[in-house]
Amino acid sequence: MTSKWLKRFSQMAELVASWSKDPSTQVGAVIVQSNRVVSLGFNGYPTGISDSAGADSRDTKLLKTLHAEENAILFAKRDLTGCEMVVTHFPCPNCAAKIIQTGIISVYSPTPSEDFHKRWGDKIELSQSMFADAEVSVNWI
């Protein structure tokens, strides 16, 4: 992916992330193939599940929430083999497994901040290892 297209899709992922109602972490994902948008997603509750601010405990919220990568994969409703994904936050191991399973070949993510790496470093390393084993290229932006 050229830097011009990567910049556009990164900006799109940021915009899509802003649609999340999560007050603490808004995440966006854009799936592309040949510089065309295939699907997009943001983190949030499934359709039809009430997401009233503050109604659920943190643990319940985490159990109910679909991640941006999951939503983008589910929304695509098509074969994703050979596609690429641009995300606003590096995928967790559960999302990494889904990305690998769908045949997505590349993930583009901003380099994690020191604070983000401190909180999620073990999960980042596990996801990176999974991607390496599956030959999914990781591209830090």
Side-chain angles (χ1 to χ4, degrees):
M1 183 179 313
T2 67
S3 61
K4 177 177 90 171
W5 283 104
L6 180 56
K7 182 178 180 181
R8 290 175 179 170
F9 294 133
S10 295
Q11 290 171 334
M12 184 177 287
E14 288 289 339
L15 174 64
V16 171
S18 74
W19 301 343
S20 171
K21 293 181 182 177
D22 189 321
S24 63
T25 307
Q26 295 181 318
V27 182
V30 178
I31 299 174
V32 300
Q33 187 169 41
S34 302
N35 294 330
R36 301 239 183 237
V37 174
V38 171
S39 187
L40 43 86
F42 56 91
N43 59 310
Y45 284 9
T47 303
I49 305 299
S50 174
D51 59 357
S52 301
D56 290 324
S57 70
R58 185 176 194 282
D59 289 340
T60 300
K61 180 183 98 167
L62 291 174
L63 289 171
K64 287 182 177 181
T65 298
L66 284 167
H67 288 189
E69 302 91 334
E70 293 172 308
N71 265 328
I73 288 167
L74 291 167
F75 185 68
K77 295 185 172 129
R78 61 161 272 193
D79 181 15
L80 299 175
T81 302
C83 289
E84 300 176 282
M85 182 179 280
V86 180
V87 294
T88 59
H89 294 71
F90 196 69
C92 71
N94 287 330
C95 288
K98 292 172 179 114
I99 290 165
I100 292 164
Q101 197 68 13
T102 63
I104 290 172
I105 58 169
S106 298
V107 173
Y108 296 83
S109 173
T111 303
S113 68
E114 189 175 318
D115 180 55
F116 189 83
H117 200 275
K118 230 182 252 184
R119 287 184 66 196
W120 306 107
D122 56 337
K123 290 187 169 137
I124 291 169
E125 289 172 21
L126 180 55
S127 294
Q128 280 186 286
S129 174
M130 293 168 67
F131 285 142
D133 288 347
E135 299 180 359
V136 172
S137 75
V138 171
N139 305 277
W140 298 105
I141 52 176

